[in-house]
Amino acid sequence: MTGGRHRSYRAAAALLCLALGLAGCKQPPGPRYIPDAEDAARGRAAIERVGCAACHEIPGIDWPEGRTGPSLVGFDDIGLIAGAVPNTPENLARFVRNAPAVKPGSTMPAMPLTQEEARDVAAYLYGLDDE
Amino acid sequence: MWRHISMVSTMNDSSDVFDAWWGWPPPVLDPAGPYADSVVVLAWALFAMGVLVTGIVVAALYVAIKGPPHLKAKLGGERTVWIGGIAFPGVVLTGLLVWGLTLTASITAPAPADAMRVRVTGHMWWFDVEYLDASGDVLLRDANELHLPVGEPVVVELESGDVIHNFWVPNLSGKEDMIPGRRNELVVQADRAGRFGGVCAEYCGGPHALMGFVTVAHDRAGWADWMRNRTMSLRPAVADQDVPGELTAITGRVAQTGNEALSGRQLFMESGCAACHRVGGTEANGLVGPDLTHVGSRLTLGAGILPNNRGTLMGWIGDSQSIKPGNRMPSYDMLSADQLNAIAAWLEQQK
């Protein structure tokens, strides 16, 4: 009786360990996302046109270096966009265009960018390889 | 292009506003009116004469060093000194002086008495703009933006509220100082519609390099529209009162709707913004900072430096010091995100 219970505990513990272990495992890293240089250049122009730097320090943009929002230095290595959604190019493109729709309550307002421009902005931000 | 995205954010057609300062040919060589024209013609003549004289000197130098002996002798002769050293410069410089003065006389010629007058006052580090009526009273106030009708001379009365500034729209005219205690007059005229970048062209301390303004020249229809919209916003302080009669038609375009914007209005008044900024038709009547009556329709923020949208508006209010270090507006970093958003939402409605 007790032995059987022990065994079932052990099995449960093993299962739990396995589950935890699997959950802890990252997806095997995919090929690195390398944005197109032309997209990134257009993205930079869009960033300057709408004035993202009024709130964010952005590598490659000399002025301004606003501090109302977080610095975007090393942004491509951050796990979650605004601590809310996975940092993928698709999510980022949606976020820079209409942040409150992606993260309700976001401080960052919707920005006057088209969908293509938003994708270009994401390309620029991911192209900042400062490692 | 911007129209189909205007649903996400109320914005201006400011997409390319900063092109007004750049482009090819550079604004200083791209006159858009008669007063800039003569400056550019003079500049090219100066350049051409410079090239010609340098060419003559270099050629003479070459002859003097490597030329055949009979040319060397000629070059060193008394005749050459009389002709090349005295007669040529005397005649050419006198001619150029007369021509140059004649050409630029129009710049200082008095403008027609009935010309439109705008008073632009330089402040550290922004431009106060007052449109004057025929009797010299202020018809409407704005900041960091000068709107003109195409094809008409406009007298700009230049004053300063603190130190010496300088008013310069390269496409429209030469530079003119703004001197404390003085009123300088400059006549500008745009012969084509468009946006022309302007700057303060006299170092005035701190963020002088971030002190600019936009000049917008409207064609006839555009000017009528602009004037009508602006004078209609000369709203008396009835925005929140139930005034019977025709006045409601005027205040009707003063959009002060939505809970967000209304709380923004309250925050604007309570956070001290109103002590420095005037918003026509409200109790905000500060005159230290730029007039915000029409801030929602302005092409730029921070005196010609940022595009105007919800994001830049929030960024400017929240931490203007990181954008334009040393400017006279403190960073409102004690405001929460919601509060910043609400104030920006209300200001966007001030068209």
Side-chain angles (χ1 to χ4, degrees):
Chain A
M1 184 82 184
T2 30
R5 188 174 281 175
H6 266 296
R7 195 177 299 154
S8 62
Y9 274 142
R10 212 171 286 160
L15 267 177
L16 187 65
C17 281
L18 190 65
L20 280 177
L22 278 179
C25 258
K26 273 188 168 177
Q27 291 286 320
R32 189 181 165 76
Y33 169 70
I34 298 174
D36 183 68
E38 276 181 29
D39 292 352
R42 281 200 305 273
R44 187 202 157 101
I47 285 173
E48 291 186 335
R49 181 176 65 72
V50 301
C52 305
C55 294
H56 299 285
E57 179 190 356
I58 303 173
I61 309 269
D62 294 335
W63 174 91
E65 292 184 353
R67 296 177 304 218
T68 302
S71 164
L72 302 185
V73 174
F75 182 80
D76 55 340
D77 293 330
I78 287 174
L80 295 173
I81 300 168
V85 291
N87 192 359
T88 65
E90 297 75 32
N91 281 345
L92 185 58
R94 283 167 57 224
F95 187 84
V96 296
R97 181 158 184 263
N98 195 351
V102 178
K103 183 198 175 187
S106 162
T107 304
M108 180 165 145
M111 295 298 287
L113 293 165
T114 63
Q115 285 182 347
E116 300 84 72
E117 284 173 328
R119 276 196 287 274
D120 293 340
V121 168
Y124 179 78
L125 293 176
Y126 281 117
L128 303 171
D129 199 353
D130 46 6
E131 287 156 41
Chain B
M1 186 190 73
W2 60 278
R3 284 195 186 279
H4 69 276
I5 49 169
S6 59
M7 49 184 283
V8 240
S9 165
T10 49
M11 69 169 292
N12 307 299
D13 184 9
S14 62
S15 39
D16 300 304
V17 61
F18 296 103
D19 289 350
W21 280 268
W22 304 98
W24 193 261
V28 71
L29 295 177
D30 183 24
Y35 299 99
D37 239 350
S38 50
V39 175
V40 174
V41 169
L42 190 66
W44 279 119
L46 201 70
F47 179 70
M49 282 311 293
V51 169
L52 179 70
V53 169
T54 308
I56 292 173
V57 169
V58 169
L61 203 62
Y62 179 82
V63 168
I65 295 168
K66 297 207 159 184
H70 72 278
L71 278 185
K72 280 189 183 178
K74 264 194 178 174
L75 194 63
E78 200 174 313
R79 214 175 124 90
T80 313
V81 174
W82 276 105
I83 295 175
I86 295 170
F88 175 73
V91 169
V92 168
L93 288 182
T94 308
L96 276 180
L97 181 71
V98 172
W99 175 74
L101 289 178
T102 317
L103 181 76
T104 52
S106 65
I107 295 176
T108 48
D114 59 344
M116 172 181 151
R117 296 180 88 83
V118 186
R119 185 181 302 140
V120 181
T121 308
H123 293 275
M124 294 158 102
W125 290 269
W126 58 282
F127 294 91
D128 192 14
V129 180
E130 295 165 307
Y131 297 81
L132 308 177
D133 65 11
S135 56
D137 291 331
V138 176
L139 186 65
L140 53 103
R141 298 171 61 93
D142 204 350
N144 304 322
E145 217 160 281
L146 176 59
H147 292 256
L148 314 166
V150 159
E152 286 177 34
V154 174
V155 181
V156 188
E157 298 183 353
L158 300 169
E159 298 185 0
S160 170
D162 34 49
V163 299
I164 299 177
H165 301 277
N166 186 299
F167 177 98
W168 190 30
V169 189
N171 297 99
L172 298 185
S173 78
K175 303 169 181 174
E176 183 79 51
D177 271 346
M178 313 170 102
I179 298 171
R182 251 189 90 94
R183 175 178 298 168
N184 284 342
E185 289 193 352
L186 179 74
V187 188
V188 298
Q189 178 175 332
D191 284 343
R192 57 179 151 97
R195 294 171 183 161
F196 308 107
V199 293
C200 173
E202 178 74 42
Y203 180 69
C204 54
H208 153 73
L210 299 176
M211 175 173 171
F213 62 100
V214 199
T215 306
V216 185
H218 299 272
D219 57 22
R220 192 169 291 274
W223 174 251
D225 273 356
W226 186 84
M227 250 309 175
R228 189 172 57 245
N229 284 337
R230 287 298 162 98
T231 38
M232 269 174 68
S233 334
L234 280 181
R235 45 205 169 189
V238 291
D240 288 340
Q241 298 166 28
D242 191 14
V243 180
E246 288 182 348
L247 273 176
T248 45
I250 297 174
T251 54
R253 69 176 292 284
V254 185
Q256 293 189 340
T257 51
N259 291 334
E260 190 179 55
L262 284 176
S263 73
R265 181 193 201 283
Q266 197 178 349
L267 276 163
F268 186 92
M269 303 304 166
E270 288 170 358
S271 308
C273 311
C276 294
H277 293 288
R278 176 176 171 272
V279 179
T282 75
E283 60 270 40
N285 60 359
L287 293 176
V288 174
D291 190 301
L292 299 182
T293 309
H294 306 294
V295 71
S297 59
R298 230 169 257 165
L299 295 164
T300 65
L301 291 180
I305 61 171
L306 289 178
N308 184 3
N309 58 51
R310 178 75 64 91
T312 52
L313 202 45
M314 289 170 66
W316 176 265
I317 300 166
D319 195 355
S320 69
Q321 291 298 328
S322 68
I323 297 167
K324 186 166 173 174
N327 90 80
R328 296 279 157 87
M329 173 163 156
S331 292
Y332 276 75
D333 45 13
M334 76 296 285
L335 295 176
S336 73
D338 286 345
Q339 290 172 322
L340 280 178
N341 193 36
I343 294 177
W346 183 65
L347 289 177
E348 272 180 354
Q349 295 182 349
Q350 309 309 311
K351 298 271 188 190

